[in-house]
Coordinates of all heavy atoms in Angstrom, one line a residue:
M1 N -10.9 -5.9 -9.1 CA -10.0 -4.8 -9.0 C -9.0 -4.8 -10.2 O -8.5 -5.9 -10.6 CB -9.2 -4.9 -7.7 CG -8.2 -3.9 -7.6 SD -7.5 -3.7 -5.9 CE -9.1 -3.3 -5.0
A2 N -8.7 -3.7 -10.8 CA -7.9 -3.7 -11.9 C -6.4 -4.0 -11.5 O -6.0 -3.6 -10.5 CB -8.0 -2.3 -12.6
I3 N -5.7 -4.6 -12.4 CA -4.4 -5.0 -12.2 C -3.5 -3.8 -11.9 O -2.5 -3.8 -11.2 CB -3.8 -5.8 -13.3 CG1 -2.4 -6.5 -12.8 CG2 -3.6 -5.1 -14.5 CD1 -2.0 -7.6 -13.7
D4 N -3.8 -2.6 -12.5 CA -3.0 -1.5 -12.4 C -3.0 -0.9 -10.9 O -2.0 -0.4 -10.5 CB -3.4 -0.3 -13.3 CG -4.8 0.1 -13.1 OD1 -5.8 -0.7 -13.4 OD2 -5.1 1.2 -12.6
T5 N -4.0 -1.2 -10.2 CA -4.0 -0.8 -8.7 C -2.9 -1.6 -8.0 O -2.2 -1.1 -7.2 CB -5.3 -1.0 -8.1 OG1 -6.3 -0.3 -8.8 CG2 -5.4 -0.5 -6.6
V6 N -2.8 -2.9 -8.2 CA -1.8 -3.8 -7.5 C -0.4 -3.3 -8.0 O 0.5 -3.2 -7.2 CB -2.0 -5.2 -7.8 CG1 -0.9 -6.1 -7.4 CG2 -3.4 -5.7 -7.2
E7 N -0.3 -3.1 -9.3 CA 1.0 -2.6 -9.8 C 1.4 -1.2 -9.3 O 2.6 -1.0 -9.0 CB 0.9 -2.5 -11.4 CG 0.9 -3.9 -12.0 CD 2.0 -4.8 -11.7 OE1 3.2 -4.4 -11.6 OE2 1.7 -6.0 -11.4
R8 N 0.5 -0.4 -9.1 CA 0.7 1.0 -8.5 C 1.2 0.8 -7.0 O 2.1 1.4 -6.6 CB -0.5 1.8 -8.6 CG -0.7 2.4 -9.9 CD -1.9 3.4 -10.0 NE -2.0 4.3 -8.9 CZ -3.1 4.5 -8.1 NH1 -4.2 3.9 -8.4 NH2 -3.1 5.3 -7.1
L9 N 0.5 -0.1 -6.3 CA 0.9 -0.4 -5.0 C 2.3 -0.9 -4.9 O 3.2 -0.5 -4.2 CB -0.1 -1.4 -4.3 CG 0.4 -2.0 -2.9 CD1 0.6 -0.9 -1.9 CD2 -0.6 -3.0 -2.4
L10 N 2.6 -1.9 -5.8 CA 4.0 -2.5 -5.8 C 5.0 -1.4 -6.1 O 6.1 -1.5 -5.5 CB 4.0 -3.6 -6.9 CG 3.3 -4.9 -6.5 CD1 3.2 -5.8 -7.7 CD2 3.8 -5.6 -5.3
A11 N 4.7 -0.5 -7.0 CA 5.6 0.5 -7.3 C 5.9 1.5 -6.1 O 7.0 2.0 -6.0 CB 5.2 1.3 -8.5
A12 N 4.9 1.6 -5.3 CA 5.0 2.6 -4.1 C 5.6 2.0 -2.9 O 6.1 2.7 -2.1 CB 3.6 3.0 -3.8
L13 N 5.7 0.6 -2.9 CA 6.3 -0.1 -1.7 C 7.8 0.0 -1.8 O 8.5 0.0 -2.9 CB 5.9 -1.5 -1.7 CG 4.4 -1.7 -1.2 CD1 4.0 -3.2 -1.6 CD2 4.3 -1.5 0.3
D14 N 8.5 -0.1 -0.6 CA 10.0 -0.3 -0.6 C 10.3 -1.7 -1.1 O 9.4 -2.6 -1.1 CB 10.4 -0.1 0.8 CG 9.9 -1.1 1.8 OD1 10.5 -2.2 1.8 OD2 8.9 -0.9 2.4
P15 N 11.5 -2.0 -1.5 CA 11.8 -3.3 -2.1 C 11.5 -4.5 -1.3 O 11.0 -5.5 -1.8 CB 13.3 -3.2 -2.4 CG 13.6 -1.7 -2.5 CD 12.6 -1.1 -1.5
R16 N 11.7 -4.4 0.0 CA 11.5 -5.6 0.9 C 10.0 -5.9 0.9 O 9.6 -7.1 0.8 CB 11.9 -5.3 2.4 CG 11.7 -6.5 3.3 CD 12.3 -6.2 4.7 NE 11.7 -5.1 5.4 CZ 10.6 -5.2 6.2 NH1 10.1 -6.4 6.4 NH2 10.1 -4.2 6.8
H17 N 9.2 -4.9 1.1 CA 7.7 -5.2 1.1 C 7.2 -5.5 -0.3 O 6.2 -6.3 -0.4 CB 7.0 -4.0 1.7 CG 7.1 -3.8 3.2 ND1 7.9 -2.8 3.7 CD2 6.8 -4.6 4.2 CE1 7.9 -2.9 5.0 NE2 7.2 -4.0 5.4
R18 N 7.7 -4.9 -1.3 CA 7.3 -5.3 -2.7 C 7.5 -6.8 -2.9 O 6.6 -7.5 -3.4 CB 8.2 -4.5 -3.7 CG 7.8 -4.6 -5.1 CD 8.5 -3.8 -6.1 NE 8.6 -2.4 -5.6 CZ 9.7 -1.6 -5.4 NH1 10.9 -2.2 -5.5 NH2 9.6 -0.4 -5.0
D19 N 8.7 -7.3 -2.6 CA 8.9 -8.7 -2.8 C 7.9 -9.6 -1.9 O 7.5 -10.6 -2.4 CB 10.4 -9.1 -2.3 CG 11.4 -8.5 -3.3 OD1 11.0 -8.1 -4.5 OD2 12.6 -8.4 -2.9
H20 N 7.7 -9.1 -0.7 CA 6.8 -9.9 0.1 C 5.3 -9.9 -0.5 O 4.7 -11.0 -0.6 CB 6.6 -9.1 1.5 CG 5.7 -9.9 2.5 ND1 6.1 -10.1 3.7 CD2 4.4 -10.3 2.3 CE1 5.1 -10.7 4.4 NE2 4.0 -10.8 3.5
V21 N 4.9 -8.7 -1.0 CA 3.5 -8.7 -1.6 C 3.5 -9.5 -3.0 O 2.5 -10.2 -3.2 CB 3.1 -7.2 -1.9 CG1 1.8 -7.2 -2.7 CG2 2.9 -6.5 -0.6
R22 N 4.6 -9.5 -3.7 CA 4.6 -10.3 -5.0 C 4.5 -11.8 -4.7 O 4.0 -12.5 -5.5 CB 5.9 -10.0 -5.7 CG 5.9 -8.8 -6.5 CD 7.1 -8.6 -7.3 NE 7.0 -7.5 -8.2 CZ 8.0 -6.6 -8.3 NH1 9.1 -6.8 -7.8 NH2 7.8 -5.5 -9.1
G23 N 4.9 -12.2 -3.5 CA 4.8 -13.6 -3.1 C 3.5 -14.1 -2.5 O 3.2 -15.2 -2.3
L24 N 2.6 -13.1 -2.3 CA 1.2 -13.4 -1.8 C 0.3 -13.8 -2.9 O 0.5 -13.5 -4.1 CB 0.7 -12.2 -1.2 CG 1.4 -11.6 0.1 CD1 0.7 -10.3 0.5 CD2 1.3 -12.7 1.2
P25 N -0.7 -14.6 -2.6 CA -1.8 -15.0 -3.6 C -2.4 -13.7 -4.1 O -2.5 -12.7 -3.5 CB -2.8 -15.8 -2.8 CG -2.0 -16.3 -1.6 CD -1.0 -15.2 -1.3
R26 N -2.9 -13.8 -5.3 CA -3.5 -12.7 -6.0 C -4.6 -12.0 -5.2 O -4.7 -10.7 -5.1 CB -4.1 -13.1 -7.4 CG -4.6 -12.0 -8.2 CD -3.5 -11.0 -8.6 NE -4.1 -9.9 -9.2 CZ -3.5 -8.8 -9.6 NH1 -2.2 -8.8 -9.5 NH2 -4.1 -7.8 -10.2
A27 N -5.4 -12.8 -4.6 CA -6.5 -12.2 -3.8 C -6.0 -11.3 -2.6 O -6.6 -10.3 -2.3 CB -7.4 -13.3 -3.2
E28 N -4.9 -11.8 -2.0 CA -4.3 -11.0 -0.9 C -3.7 -9.7 -1.5 O -3.8 -8.6 -0.8 CB -3.3 -11.8 -0.1 CG -4.0 -12.8 0.8 CD -2.9 -13.7 1.6 OE1 -2.1 -12.9 2.2 OE2 -3.0 -14.9 1.6
Q29 N -3.0 -9.8 -2.6 CA -2.5 -8.6 -3.3 C -3.6 -7.6 -3.5 O -3.4 -6.4 -3.2 CB -1.8 -9.0 -4.6 CG -0.5 -9.7 -4.4 CD 0.0 -10.1 -5.8 OE1 -0.4 -9.7 -6.8 NE2 1.1 -10.9 -5.7
E30 N -4.7 -8.0 -4.0 CA -5.8 -7.1 -4.3 C -6.4 -6.5 -3.0 O -6.8 -5.4 -3.0 CB -6.9 -7.8 -5.1 CG -6.4 -8.1 -6.5 CD -7.4 -9.0 -7.3 OE1 -8.4 -9.4 -6.8 OE2 -7.1 -9.2 -8.6
S31 N -6.5 -7.3 -2.0 CA -7.0 -6.8 -0.7 C -6.1 -5.7 -0.2 O -6.5 -4.7 0.3 CB -7.1 -8.0 0.3 OG -7.5 -7.5 1.5
L32 N -4.8 -5.9 -0.2 CA -3.8 -4.9 0.2 C -3.9 -3.7 -0.6 O -3.8 -2.6 -0.1 CB -2.4 -5.5 0.1 CG -2.0 -6.4 1.3 CD1 -0.6 -7.0 1.0 CD2 -1.9 -5.7 2.6
A33 N -4.1 -3.9 -2.0 CA -4.2 -2.7 -2.8 C -5.4 -1.9 -2.5 O -5.4 -0.6 -2.5 CB -4.2 -3.1 -4.3
A34 N -6.5 -2.5 -2.1 CA -7.8 -1.9 -1.7 C -7.5 -1.2 -0.4 O -8.0 0.0 -0.2 CB -8.9 -2.9 -1.6
T35 N -6.8 -1.8 0.6 CA -6.5 -1.1 1.8 C -5.7 0.1 1.6 O -5.9 1.2 2.2 CB -5.8 -2.1 2.7 OG1 -6.6 -3.2 3.0 CG2 -5.3 -1.4 4.0
W36 N -4.7 0.0 0.7 CA -3.8 1.1 0.3 C -4.6 2.3 -0.3 O -4.4 3.4 0.1 CB -2.8 0.6 -0.7 CG -1.9 1.7 -1.3 CD1 -1.0 2.5 -0.7 CD2 -1.9 2.0 -2.7 NE1 -0.3 3.3 -1.6 CE2 -0.8 3.0 -2.8 CE3 -2.5 1.6 -3.8 CZ2 -0.6 3.6 -4.1 CZ3 -2.2 2.1 -5.0 CH2 -1.3 3.1 -5.1
E37 N -5.6 2.0 -1.2 CA -6.4 3.0 -1.8 C -7.3 3.7 -0.7 O -7.4 4.9 -0.7 CB -7.2 2.5 -2.9 CG -6.4 2.2 -4.2 CD -7.3 2.0 -5.4 OE1 -8.4 1.4 -5.2 OE2 -6.9 2.5 -6.4
D38 N -7.8 2.9 0.3 CA -8.6 3.5 1.3 C -7.7 4.5 2.2 O -8.2 5.5 2.5 CB -9.1 2.4 2.3 CG -10.3 1.6 1.6 OD1 -10.8 2.1 0.6 OD2 -10.6 0.5 2.1
E39 N -6.5 4.1 2.4 CA -5.6 4.9 3.2 C -5.3 6.2 2.5 O -5.3 7.3 3.1 CB -4.2 4.2 3.4 CG -3.2 4.9 4.2 CD -3.5 4.8 5.7 OE1 -4.2 4.0 6.1 OE2 -2.9 5.7 6.4
L40 N -5.2 6.2 1.1 CA -5.0 7.4 0.4 C -6.2 8.3 0.4 O -6.1 9.5 0.4 CB -4.7 7.0 -1.1 CG -3.2 6.5 -1.4 CD1 -3.2 6.0 -2.8 CD2 -2.3 7.7 -1.3
R41 N -7.4 7.7 0.4 CA -8.6 8.4 0.3 C -8.9 9.1 1.6 O -9.4 10.2 1.7 CB -9.8 7.5 -0.1 CG -10.1 7.5 -1.5 CD -11.5 6.9 -1.8 NE -11.6 5.5 -1.4 CZ -11.2 4.5 -2.0 NH1 -10.6 4.7 -3.2 NH2 -11.4 3.3 -1.6
R42 N -8.7 8.4 2.7 CA -9.2 8.8 4.0 C -8.2 9.8 4.8 O -8.7 10.6 5.6 CB -9.4 7.6 5.0 CG -10.6 6.8 4.6 CD -10.8 5.7 5.5 NE -9.8 4.7 5.3 CZ -9.3 3.9 6.3 NH1 -9.9 3.8 7.4 NH2 -8.3 3.1 6.0
D43 N -7.0 9.7 4.5 CA -6.0 10.5 5.4 C -5.9 11.9 4.8 O -5.4 12.1 3.7 CB -4.7 9.8 5.4 CG -3.8 10.4 6.4 OD1 -3.5 11.6 6.3 OD2 -3.4 9.7 7.4
T44 N -6.3 12.9 5.5 CA -6.2 14.3 5.1 C -4.8 14.8 4.9 O -4.5 15.6 4.1 CB -7.0 15.2 6.0 OG1 -6.5 15.1 7.3 CG2 -8.5 14.9 5.9
D45 N -3.8 14.2 5.7 CA -2.5 14.6 5.6 C -1.9 14.1 4.3 O -1.1 14.9 3.6 CB -1.6 14.0 6.7 CG -1.9 14.6 8.1 OD1 -2.4 15.8 8.1 OD2 -1.6 13.9 9.1
L46 N -2.3 13.0 3.9 CA -1.9 12.5 2.5 C -2.5 13.3 1.4 O -1.9 13.5 0.3 CB -2.3 11.0 2.3 CG -1.5 10.0 3.2 CD1 -2.0 8.6 3.0 CD2 0.0 10.1 2.9
D47 N -3.7 13.9 1.6 CA -4.3 14.7 0.6 C -3.4 16.0 0.4 O -3.2 16.3 -0.8 CB -5.7 15.2 1.1 CG -6.7 14.1 1.0 OD1 -6.5 13.1 0.4 OD2 -7.8 14.3 1.6
T48 N -2.9 16.5 1.4 CA -2.0 17.7 1.3 C -0.7 17.3 0.7 O -0.2 18.0 -0.3 CB -1.7 18.3 2.7 OG1 -3.0 18.6 3.3 CG2 -0.8 19.5 2.6
L49 N -0.1 16.2 1.0 CA 1.1 15.7 0.5 C 0.9 15.4 -1.0 O 1.7 15.6 -1.9 CB 1.6 14.5 1.2 CG 2.9 13.8 0.7 CD1 4.0 14.8 0.7 CD2 3.3 12.6 1.5
S50 N -0.3 14.8 -1.4 CA -0.6 14.4 -2.7 C -0.6 15.7 -3.7 O -0.2 15.7 -4.8 CB -2.0 13.8 -2.8 OG -2.2 13.4 -4.1
E51 N -1.0 16.8 -3.1 CA -1.0 18.0 -3.9 C 0.4 18.5 -4.3 O 0.7 19.0 -5.3 CB -1.7 19.2 -3.2 CG -3.2 19.0 -3.0 CD -3.9 20.0 -2.2 OE1 -3.2 21.0 -1.8 OE2 -5.0 19.8 -1.8
L52 N 1.4 18.2 -3.3 CA 2.8 18.5 -3.5 C 3.5 17.5 -4.4 O 4.3 17.8 -5.2 CB 3.5 18.7 -2.2 CG 2.9 19.8 -1.3 CD1 3.5 19.7 0.1 CD2 3.0 21.2 -1.9
S53 N 3.2 16.2 -4.0 CA 3.9 15.1 -4.7 C 3.0 13.8 -4.6 O 3.0 13.2 -3.6 CB 5.2 14.8 -4.0 OG 5.8 13.7 -4.6
P54 N 2.3 13.6 -5.7 CA 1.4 12.4 -5.6 C 2.2 11.1 -5.4 O 1.8 10.2 -4.6 CB 0.8 12.3 -7.1 CG 0.8 13.8 -7.5 CD 2.1 14.3 -6.9
A55 N 3.4 11.0 -5.9 CA 4.3 9.7 -5.7 C 4.6 9.6 -4.2 O 4.6 8.5 -3.7 CB 5.5 9.8 -6.6
A56 N 4.9 10.7 -3.6 CA 5.3 10.7 -2.2 C 4.1 10.3 -1.3 O 4.2 9.5 -0.3 CB 5.8 12.1 -1.7
A57 N 2.9 10.7 -1.6 CA 1.7 10.4 -0.9 C 1.5 8.9 -1.1 O 1.1 8.2 0.0 CB 0.5 11.2 -1.4
E58 N 1.6 8.4 -2.3 CA 1.4 6.9 -2.5 C 2.4 6.1 -1.7 O 2.0 5.1 -1.1 CB 1.4 6.6 -4.0 CG 0.2 7.2 -4.8 CD 0.2 6.8 -6.2 OE1 1.2 6.2 -6.7 OE2 -0.9 7.0 -6.8
S59 N 3.6 6.5 -1.7 CA 4.7 5.8 -1.0 C 4.4 5.8 0.5 O 4.6 4.8 1.2 CB 6.1 6.4 -1.3 OG 6.4 6.1 -2.6
E60 N 4.0 7.0 1.0 CA 3.7 7.1 2.5 C 2.5 6.2 2.8 O 2.6 5.5 3.9 CB 3.4 8.5 2.9 CG 3.0 8.7 4.3 CD 4.0 8.2 5.3 OE1 5.2 8.2 5.1 OE2 3.7 7.9 6.5
A61 N 1.5 6.1 2.0 CA 0.4 5.3 2.3 C 0.7 3.8 2.2 O 0.3 3.0 3.0 CB -0.8 5.6 1.3
A62 N 1.6 3.5 1.2 CA 2.1 2.1 1.1 C 2.9 1.7 2.3 O 2.7 0.6 2.8 CB 2.9 2.0 -0.2
A63 N 3.7 2.6 2.8 CA 4.5 2.3 4.0 C 3.6 2.0 5.2 O 3.9 1.2 6.0 CB 5.5 3.4 4.3
R64 N 2.6 2.9 5.3 CA 1.7 2.7 6.5 C 1.0 1.4 6.4 O 0.8 0.7 7.4 CB 0.6 3.8 6.5 CG 1.2 5.2 6.8 CD 0.1 6.3 6.7 NE 0.7 7.6 6.9 CZ 0.0 8.7 7.0 NH1 -1.3 8.6 6.8 NH2 0.5 9.9 7.1
V65 N 0.5 1.0 5.2 CA -0.2 -0.3 5.1 C 0.8 -1.4 5.4 O 0.4 -2.4 6.1 CB -0.9 -0.4 3.7 CG1 -1.3 -1.8 3.4 CG2 -2.0 0.6 3.6
A66 N 2.0 -1.3 4.8 CA 2.9 -2.4 5.1 C 3.3 -2.5 6.6 O 3.3 -3.6 7.1 CB 4.3 -2.1 4.3
R67 N 3.4 -1.4 7.3 CA 3.7 -1.5 8.7 C 2.6 -2.1 9.5 O 2.8 -2.9 10.3 CB 4.0 -0.1 9.3 CG 5.4 0.4 9.0 CD 5.8 1.6 9.7 NE 4.8 2.7 9.6 CZ 5.1 3.7 8.6 NH1 6.1 3.7 7.8 NH2 4.1 4.7 8.5
R68 N 1.4 -1.7 9.1 CA 0.2 -2.2 9.8 C -0.2 -3.6 9.4 O -0.6 -4.4 10.3 CB -1.0 -1.2 9.4 CG -2.2 -1.4 10.3 CD -3.2 -0.3 10.1 NE -3.7 -0.2 8.8 CZ -3.6 0.9 8.0 NH1 -3.0 1.9 8.4 NH2 -4.1 0.8 6.8
V69 N -0.1 -4.0 8.2 CA -0.6 -5.3 7.8 C 0.5 -6.3 7.6 O 0.4 -7.5 8.1 CB -1.4 -5.1 6.4 CG1 -1.8 -6.5 5.9 CG2 -2.5 -4.2 6.6
L70 N 1.7 -5.9 6.9 CA 2.7 -7.0 6.7 C 3.7 -7.1 7.8 O 4.2 -8.2 7.9 CB 3.4 -6.5 5.4 CG 2.6 -6.4 4.1 CD1 3.4 -5.8 3.0 CD2 1.9 -7.7 3.7
D71 N 3.9 -6.1 8.5 CA 4.9 -6.2 9.7 C 4.4 -6.7 11.0 O 5.1 -6.8 11.9 CB 5.7 -4.9 9.8 CG 6.6 -4.5 8.7 OD1 6.8 -5.4 7.8 OD2 7.0 -3.4 8.5
R72 N 3.1 -7.0 11.0 CA 2.5 -7.3 12.3 C 3.0 -8.8 12.6 O 3.2 -9.6 11.7 CB 1.0 -7.3 12.3 CG 0.3 -8.3 11.4 CD -1.1 -8.2 11.4 NE -1.7 -9.1 10.4 CZ -2.7 -8.8 9.6 NH1 -3.3 -7.7 9.7 NH2 -3.1 -9.7 8.7
P73 N 3.1 -9.1 13.9 CA 3.5 -10.5 14.3 C 2.5 -11.5 13.9 O 1.3 -11.2 13.9 CB 3.6 -10.4 15.8 CG 3.6 -9.0 16.2 CD 2.9 -8.2 15.0
H74 N 3.0 -12.6 13.4 CA 2.0 -13.7 12.9 C 1.7 -14.5 14.2 O 2.5 -14.7 15.1 CB 2.7 -14.6 11.9 CG 3.0 -13.9 10.6 ND1 2.1 -13.5 9.7 CD2 4.2 -13.4 10.2 CE1 2.7 -12.8 8.8 NE2 4.0 -12.8 9.0
R75 N 0.5 -14.9 14.2 CA 0.0 -15.7 15.3 C 0.1 -17.2 15.1 O 0.0 -17.7 14.1 CB -1.5 -15.4 15.6 CG -1.7 -14.0 15.9 CD -3.2 -13.7 16.0 NE -3.5 -12.2 15.8 CZ -3.8 -11.4 16.7 NH1 -4.0 -11.8 17.9 NH2 -4.0 -10.2 16.5

């Protein structure tokens, strides 16, 4: 995966989640970036938002991934 995808994800995240992702191993960062791109591709609501504001769509998708993956309770 290209580094720019991880960097784009980092730019789209809020500061707390951005710091969390920066502290993860590179492979996990790339996995999260792939999950984020999947979220952007699959969600039709984000498609509509992307037409109005691509940055807002990227931020919303990043927030969804962060809530689903980063904020889940650890076992």
Side-chain angles (χ1 to χ4, degrees):
M1 174 166 302
I3 191 165
D4 60 291
T5 303
V6 172
E7 292 302 319
R8 283 180 45 229
L9 169 61
L10 290 171
L13 286 167
D14 64 84
R16 181 175 66 91
H17 288 113
R18 185 179 308 124
D19 290 343
H20 183 131
V21 171
R22 281 188 176 133
L24 295 174
R26 183 65 189 177
E28 287 183 50
Q29 291 178 3
E30 290 175 354
S31 176
L32 282 171
T35 300
W36 172 66
E37 285 194 321
D38 287 344
E39 182 79 17
L40 282 168
R41 264 194 302 277
R42 286 183 293 154
D43 192 302
T44 56
D45 291 336
L46 289 174
D47 289 343
T48 302
L49 182 57
S50 182
E51 291 172 12
L52 301 172
S53 174
E58 289 186 350
S59 291
E60 176 59 26
R64 291 178 185 182
V65 169
R67 283 190 303 267
R68 192 171 60 240
V69 177
L70 300 177
D71 290 343
R72 68 179 175 220
H74 298 288
R75 298 175 203 251

